[in-house]
Amino acid sequence: MTLADISRHCHNITTSYLASSGGSDIVNSTKQAIRLTRHHLLEEVFRRWDPFGNQLSFSYNGGKDCQVLLILYLSCLWEFFVRNTGFSQYGSQYHRFPLRSLPTVYINQAETFSTLEKSIESARERYFLSIYESPRNQTSMPEAFENYLELHSNTEAIVIGIRHTDPFGENLQCIQSTDSGWPHFMRIQPLLHWNLANVWSLLLYSNEEICGLYGKGFTSIGGINSTLPNPALKIDTLSGSLTLENRFKWEIFNAYDKQTSSENVNVSQLSDADEALLQSTGQSGYHPGWFLTDDSQERAGRTRK
Ligand code: ATP
């Protein structure tokens, strides 16, 4: 497996999703969302910064938003490669994919769940991420990015999986400069228009392994001392929580490349430490994170915002 292979795989996932029929309103709106993200990346971002040069980096913290954006980014990377080689007289099979790994920045802010750390490790291998990891707790977010830029001085723009519904996300634009108090680089934010349901729809359909905490009722993951399963997903043992339903059955049963149609979701295994933590603190008995589609509740399990 190489970066080229996984990029082609992600392209196949996206193409297959876009060509699918029979999905719900969520699937239809996610198709629109994908088209706009693809337009941003292929027509605006990659025309300005060569994705095969070293001017673009990807910010990754193992969360669902950056994972779904990574799938789309790699998909566009493959398409960009094929398009460009199409202009030559030889087919893409005669060209070498110009990148071996994706420059990636992970700011290791606070102690987090070992299950999430393992997911980042798996992503590093699966998606050929060349991850710069800032030393934990030593610096503020702007300082950590400053350190990254000092080491990667050709970086001009960083791809970020923020959405309009995230805190302070409302008025952002796809391409914009950093605010004052931050080192200068361009923020590339092609996922702004996605809502929570769109993220779950493509991620569950992709059949890519997602962090196991999402299977245990987490909907947004931060530090271990500031993140709980989402209270809105607590299974009410008395009433049976009749109000919540899985709105992604189509995605799960028809997931890309799934060997047998089943309700199983490709979640990573919870670490023993996290399993014990959830048990000992009474944080079990929650519906999976994808049972929540209300954007306004997405961060209800984040005790510090
Ligand atoms: P979730 O909300 O489920 O944890 P997420 O972490 O992808 O998913 P956010 O927490 O809303 O989403 O963060 C938005 C984006 O900002 C991420 O997708 C990622 O691109 C970037 N980001 C956030 N925190 C970090 C970090 N510590 N290091 C690198 N990038 C980060």
Side-chain angles (χ1 to χ4, degrees), residues 59-61 63-66 105-107 109 141 159-162 166 214 219-221 298-299 302:
S59 68
Y60 198 85
N61 65 349
K64 62 185 183 318
D65 300 330
C66 50
V105 47
Y106 166 47
I107 310 301
Q109 282 174 298
M141 202 77 161
V159 182
I160 305 169
I162 193 167
D166 287 328
Y214 291 120
T219 53
S220 178
I221 309 170
E298 180 179 350
R299 286 179 180 249
R302 300 281 290 265

Side-chain angles (χ1 to χ4, degrees), residues 40-57 73 77 80 154-159 174-177 184-189:
H40 283 318
L41 288 173
L42 287 165
E43 311 304 334
E44 294 163 9
V45 178
F46 291 174
R47 280 175 190 247
R48 201 160 153 191
W49 296 280
D50 178 6
F52 296 124
N54 46 14
Q55 300 168 325
L56 277 169
S57 292
Y73 188 88
L77 209 56
F80 188 74
N154 290 317
T155 309
E156 292 185 11
I158 300 183
V159 182
C174 176
I175 301 176
Q176 67 184 117
S177 181
H184 176 73
F185 60 86
M186 297 305 282
R187 302 167 55 157
I188 308 298
Q189 303 165 146

Side-chain angles (χ1 to χ4, degrees), residues 29 37 74 124 135 137 159 180 183 187 201 208 227 240 268 270:
S29 82
T37 298
L74 294 179
R124 183 203 297 270
N137 274 341
V159 182
S180 65
R187 302 167 55 157
S201 183
E208 291 293 289
T227 314
S268 69
L270 224 58

